[in-house]
Amino acid sequence: MSTELSSASADPDSGEARFDLDGPVATVTLCRPQVLNAQTPKLWADLRDFGRNLPGDVRVVVVRGEGRAFSAGLDTKAAATNLGALATAPDGDAQIASFQEAFAWLRRPSLISIAAVQGHAIGAGFQIALACDFRVAAEDVSFSMAEIKLGLVPDLGGTKRLVELVGYAKALELCVTGRRVLAAEAAQIGLANVVVPRAELDDAANDLAAAVLEGARDAVIEIKALLGAAAGRTFAEQEAAERAAQLRRIADLSGLGE
């Protein structure tokens, strides 16, 4: 049975997101459909608190958006009064770091995160989808790194993941033009793991979560760590990391682990 996270760790009545726990699966639902789930600093604070207080037995996090869009990005109307002050604030760097933390926990080695994306995923909406390990996309999806349209840069951790997924040249093109990437291209260039009809989106995300849960937790954690670090290693270094991970798994399965 699903249980709502207590308000001690996140505000379940914020009106901007809903946080639910169902055994090893946590679900984050952006719930401002009237503004296409546009994001605010308050939402980011709630996301950060939810990540900090996530129970240790959670293995999968699913991020969804209510209504016809996943997230149209930054709520510029709500944020307008804060943007100018941020540039001159003595703690401006720390404030942006706290915003980044709202997304960064989705990359935690102990979790597999899945974004179920429909309609617009623009700017901050694109970046929260990029923070997830997997993106299950509906056929009506439209990704866009639109910060350039506001004269801004993507600053919620999305640039590294975008380069990892599509390569430098394509990532640069998408960031400096802000153009939209529709479902077919998203699948072709590696932004979307799978594309499904809109009516099948939730089921597809749930099926992927269930498939992840079938694997041994510690093995999944080791695999995510191996793949996450692979790009920065030589073949010899990666092979050494594989050996070390496999020996840990064998020791654990043999009852010899710590």
Side-chain angles (χ1 to χ4, degrees):
M1 179 177 291
S2 176
T3 58
E4 192 173 70
L5 191 70
S6 75
S7 57
S9 52
D11 181 3
D13 300 315
S14 68
E16 299 192 8
R18 188 169 61 252
F19 305 92
D20 298 288
L21 298 175
D22 187 4
V25 179
T27 301
V28 176
T29 304
L30 308 181
C31 52
R32 301 180 74 207
Q34 70 279 10
V35 289
L36 302 182
N37 297 316
Q39 300 177 34
T40 68
K42 184 184 186 312
L43 169 66
W44 297 336
D46 285 344
L47 286 170
R48 185 176 65 248
D49 289 345
F50 182 68
R52 285 175 176 174
N53 293 279
L54 202 64
D57 60 350
V58 170
R59 295 183 56 191
V60 177
V61 178
V62 179
V63 182
R64 293 185 164 100
E66 276 189 0
R68 59 192 180 92
F70 179 70
S71 173
L74 178 67
D75 187 331
T76 53
K77 183 177 180 180
T81 57
N82 299 320
L83 287 177
L86 188 62
T88 57
D91 64 343
D93 183 86
Q95 288 189 50
I96 295 176
S98 73
F99 300 157
Q100 293 170 334
E101 191 181 345
F103 291 8
W105 65 272
L106 291 163
R107 302 193 301 268
R108 192 177 298 165
S110 60
L111 300 172
I112 295 294
S113 49
I114 302 169
V117 190
Q118 82 281 8
H120 297 301
I122 298 173
F126 190 7
Q127 291 191 78
I128 194 171
L130 285 169
C132 294
D133 296 302
F134 303 136
R135 280 149 300 283
V136 178
E139 291 174 335
D140 66 347
V141 77
S142 175
F143 293 106
S144 173
M145 199 69 93
E147 284 82 359
I148 189 68
K149 306 294 187 181
L150 301 174
L152 300 172
V153 303
D155 65 346
L156 295 170
T159 55
K160 178 174 173 58
R161 180 59 61 81
L162 187 61
V163 171
E164 290 173 348
L165 289 171
V166 305
Y168 164 78
K170 180 61 70 176
L172 181 62
E173 176 208 336
L174 296 181
C175 288
V176 301
T177 66
R179 75 171 180 86
R180 299 192 175 192
V181 177
L182 303 183
E185 184 182 3
Q188 180 183 22
I189 65 177
L191 280 178
N193 292 83
V194 63
V195 174
V196 298
R198 174 66 184 88
E200 299 175 14
L201 181 63
D202 287 343
D203 286 343
N206 292 339
D207 288 346
L208 182 53
V212 170
L213 292 174
E214 289 182 1
R217 177 173 191 164
D218 289 344
V220 171
I221 292 171
E222 291 279 15
I223 290 168
K224 180 173 177 177
L226 279 170
L227 297 181
R233 292 177 176 146
T234 64
F235 274 104
E237 291 168 339
Q238 184 70 1
E239 288 166 352
E242 290 174 358
R243 294 194 300 271
Q246 192 71 300
L247 289 171
R248 285 192 294 271
R249 293 305 306 133
I250 293 170
D252 185 58
L253 292 172
S254 302
L256 301 175
E258 294 182 359

